[in-house]
Amino acid sequence: MAIDYNMLEWARAQFAMTAIFHFFFVPFTLGMSFVVAFFETIYVKTGKKEWKDITQFWQLLFGINFAIGLSTGIIHEFEFGTNWSTYSWVVGDLFGAPLAVEGVIAFFMEATFAAIAFFGWKRVSKGVHLMSSWLLAAGSNLSALWILIANGFMQHPTSAFYTFNIDTARLELTDFLSLILQPVAQVKFLHVVTAAYTMASVFVLGISSLYLLRGKHIEFAKKSATVAAAFGLIASIAVAVIGDDHAYEVANTQPTKIASLEGLVVGQESAPIVAFGIPKALSVEEIKNAKEGDGFSFEIPLPGLLSILGKRDPNAFVPGLKDLIYGNDKYGIWSWDRLVAEGKRAIEDLHKYHAAKKAGDQAAMDAAQKDFHAIIANVDGTKIERAELMGYGYFADLPNNGKDRAFPPVAPAFFSFHLMVALGFWFILLFVLAYAAISKGTYWNSTGLQKMALFSVPLPWLATSFGWMSAEIGRQPWTVFGVLPTFKSVTPVALVNVQATFFMFLTAFVVLGIAELKMLFTVVKNGPKGAH
């Protein structure tokens, strides 16, 4: 079947739009749930009504976001069936398992304890209400865990937890515990939740600073800002530390992603991180003939840091796009053409198996199955079956073996990643200055710092969106890295259907977004006295 790339790009655009809009709500929910629980813990420990007022104010803002975020997530899940049914068929057993657990455990926790937390202030004891707030926070973060376990599989699928069933042409889960404990998913989860805690802390500090600048609700703002500055300092530093581990995992599991994120065209020993640069838009033929330094029109490199980040060795070799597309015998890197050839052979084995099965030829079935599952490489003790490279075989039908689609678009990946990192350091600076000033008692009169905090309020949403974009753009051209190409995952539906639903969802998201902002602004304007 011919690939309708126009329809494919519309389907991708719709999914990206839904994902980014949904992700505006998710990290705020994750972070604010814990902030609210912290405030309520202080209230229960001290018994002071002012802490109850603080808790209820921030809980109301959290509740508005929680409700609208839930509705966008439902739309997101339906798109797997409407636009990505081939993906759902091939990997549904793996991807669906953590989502099912999310529904059974995390959703039930959120639904149960959200009701008590929001409506039980006068109906249950302080202890029960506090427990409900903490369990709501735990449920929200558990929901993120299961989602990121599913996404971790998409980023780095391994035969440690799945096998390809040659009879059904589907991936099947073999080890649920290995799926849960995959390092890529765990570090990704920690990176996301610490970013969420940073977002919530910036929000609380920023809104508290707004009140200080206006001379309103001073004691409320002081107490809120103190907690936010302490929590935010810890969270923002944790984001950077865990982000370093996350980058290490990416460098060793998705080399084309890290090469694109850093604009590394030609592999190097003592490879640099580019602090700032303008990457060139090179064709696959230009990459073939590229030399060191050809990837940028302008760059400020920091020598050796990418080798440290990706290999924990300042002198280590980090492969670039040229090495990953055309191969590098010195470092044992297979060329794209070789990967495609092995994948194509796996597809042929699959067809031979089913033809022999239809003909009742058991010997031919066994031969095809043996070749399909044959061990073709051993990477650091991990045996690689030919079946694991089948996804590459689909590129054999494209001109030049699809080399022009073998790597992510460099400029969007590079800029989204670097903007995320820059904002991450901005938050560390903000919280170091705020915490130091609050500790000295000078923050309350420092309008410069207060304005810095206030103007930083929207920045965490940009940072988390850039982070998600770098993760998902960097995975291209795959939905499941190395296993299932994006162009083979899409549902073959009419272009007009995808376009119609795109604009329908866009309209709904704009309405929901305006509604949320209006409610949030109204609550902030009214202040803590009118929260409940």
Side-chain angles (χ1 to χ4, degrees):
M1 180 183 293
I3 302 166
D4 184 347
Y5 285 106
N6 196 14
M7 186 274 291
L8 173 64
E9 295 307 317
W10 273 95
R12 289 182 62 199
Q14 183 185 111
F15 197 85
M17 175 185 66
T18 310
I20 290 174
F21 189 79
H22 180 54
F23 206 64
F24 282 157
F25 302 96
V26 171
F28 189 64
T29 294
L30 300 179
M32 284 301 293
S33 63
F34 269 92
V35 169
V36 169
F38 287 146
F39 284 133
E40 186 172 357
T41 300
I42 298 173
Y43 160 60
V44 172
K45 292 286 289 184
T46 63
K48 295 181 178 179
K49 185 179 182 301
E50 58 192 7
W51 283 106
K52 182 179 181 181
D53 293 338
I54 291 172
T55 302
Q56 291 183 328
F57 175 78
W58 297 113
Q59 185 193 59
L60 181 57
L61 294 170
F62 161 65
I64 293 168
N65 183 82
F66 180 81
I68 296 181
L70 184 64
S71 63
T72 62
I74 294 171
I75 295 173
H76 203 184
E77 293 200 13
F78 274 116
E79 288 183 3
F80 286 110
T82 56
N83 291 357
W84 304 96
S85 58
T86 304
Y87 167 86
S88 299
W89 165 257
V90 176
V91 304
D93 284 357
L94 277 91
F95 190 77
L99 293 186
V101 176
E102 180 202 16
V104 171
I105 298 178
F107 278 5
F108 272 80
M109 285 182 66
E110 291 177 273
T112 301
F113 295 109
I116 300 174
F118 292 135
F119 306 112
W121 282 99
K122 297 179 180 179
R123 294 176 174 84
V124 297
S125 67
K126 285 184 180 179
V128 171
H129 195 276
L130 177 63
M131 179 189 70
S132 299
S133 294
W134 278 108
L135 288 174
L136 173 58
S140 299
N141 284 254
L142 274 175
S143 180
L145 172 64
W146 293 109
I147 289 292
L148 292 168
I149 286 172
N151 187 264
F153 149 69
M154 295 171 68
Q155 304 290 344
H156 182 50
T158 75
S159 56
F161 54 76
Y162 85 87
T163 187
F164 189 92
N165 187 320
I166 197 170
D167 286 295
T168 62
R170 300 180 69 192
L171 272 61
E172 292 183 350
L173 182 62
T174 56
D175 190 335
F176 189 60
L177 186 61
S178 295
L179 174 66
I180 295 173
L181 298 178
Q182 53 178 309
V184 170
Q186 295 302 320
V187 73
K188 194 175 184 71
F189 166 70
L190 293 174
H191 191 50
V192 167
V193 295
T194 50
Y197 304 154
T198 302
M199 174 185 284
S201 300
V202 171
F203 181 80
V204 173
L205 182 64
I207 300 303
S208 299
S209 298
L210 173 65
Y211 290 143
L212 291 170
L213 287 166
R214 291 182 174 179
K216 296 180 178 180
H217 317 299
I218 301 299
E219 288 305 313
F220 166 89
K222 285 183 176 181
K223 287 180 169 57
S224 296
T226 301
V227 173
F231 188 39
L233 180 61
I234 296 169
S236 60
I237 293 173
V239 170
V241 173
I242 297 167
D244 175 73
D245 284 340
H246 189 19
Y248 175 76
E249 289 291 340
V250 169
N252 289 280
T253 57
Q254 296 175 281
T256 52
K257 176 185 282 190
I258 201 69
S260 297
L261 295 179
E262 284 299 335
L264 186 64
V265 174
V266 180
Q268 301 177 41
E269 295 178 353
S270 297
I273 282 177
V274 177
F276 177 78
I278 301 175
K280 295 178 181 176
L282 299 178
S283 68
V284 72
E285 289 301 321
E286 289 173 321
I287 290 174
K288 182 178 182 180
N289 299 313
K291 298 178 176 60
E292 283 189 18
D294 285 352
F296 288 88
S297 301
F298 169 78
E299 61 178 318
I300 301 176
L302 304 174
L305 289 189
L306 185 57
S307 292
I308 294 173
L309 185 74
K311 303 297 180 181
R312 300 299 190 243
D313 178 354
N315 301 310
F317 176 81
V318 179
L321 295 176
K322 180 178 180 178
D323 308 280
L324 298 164
I325 296 170
Y326 294 101
N328 187 320
D329 291 337
K330 178 180 178 181
Y331 292 98
I333 300 171
W334 285 16
S335 69
W336 179 262
D337 286 335
R338 185 175 177 184
L339 292 167
V340 170
E342 291 291 351
K344 184 178 180 181
R345 182 168 168 178
I347 293 172
E348 291 170 350
D349 288 334
L350 180 65
H351 291 159
K352 288 177 182 178
Y353 177 86
H354 283 277
K357 184 177 181 180
K358 187 175 182 179
D361 187 344
Q362 186 62 47
M365 288 172 61
D366 293 341
Q369 188 170 18
K370 182 179 179 181
D371 195 63
F372 183 74
H373 289 292
I375 304 298
I376 57 173
N378 191 313
V379 181
D380 298 329
T382 301
K383 295 178 180 179
I384 307 297
E385 292 184 0
R386 180 171 289 113
E388 294 180 65
L389 302 181
M390 190 173 74
Y392 291 92
Y394 295 112
F395 290 89
D397 297 330
L398 305 181
N400 198 22
N401 276 344
K403 285 192 186 72
D404 60 330
R405 294 179 173 270
F407 56 94
V410 174
F414 176 86
F415 286 118
S416 60
F417 178 69
H418 283 73
L419 286 168
M420 175 198 70
V421 172
L423 288 169
F425 283 110
W426 171 263
F427 299 140
I428 292 175
L429 174 64
L430 169 65
F431 285 117
V432 166
L433 295 176
Y435 185 77
I438 289 172
S439 298
K440 295 176 182 178
T442 59
Y443 186 83
W444 321 123
N445 299 314
S446 177
T447 57
L449 268 179
Q450 292 166 12
K451 289 177 180 178
M452 180 180 174
L454 177 60
F455 294 146
S456 295
V457 167
L459 298 184
W461 277 267
L462 292 178
T464 54
S465 295
F466 286 138
W468 199 248
M469 287 166 63
S470 63
E472 299 304 295
I473 292 173
R475 194 184 62 236
Q476 295 306 311
W478 309 96
T479 47
V480 182
F481 194 86
V483 173
L484 188 63
T486 305
F487 65 82
K488 279 291 182 181
S489 305
V490 71
T491 305
V493 296
L495 173 61
V496 66
N497 292 340
V498 181
Q499 291 174 326
T501 52
F502 176 92
F503 288 109
M504 182 177 70
F505 291 155
L506 177 60
T507 302
F509 293 155
V510 169
V511 171
L512 287 172
I514 292 172
E516 167 156 21
L517 289 175
K518 184 174 181 179
M519 285 187 283
L520 292 178
F521 287 152
T522 300
V523 173
V524 171
K525 181 180 178 181
N526 291 338
K529 297 301 181 183
H532 276 261

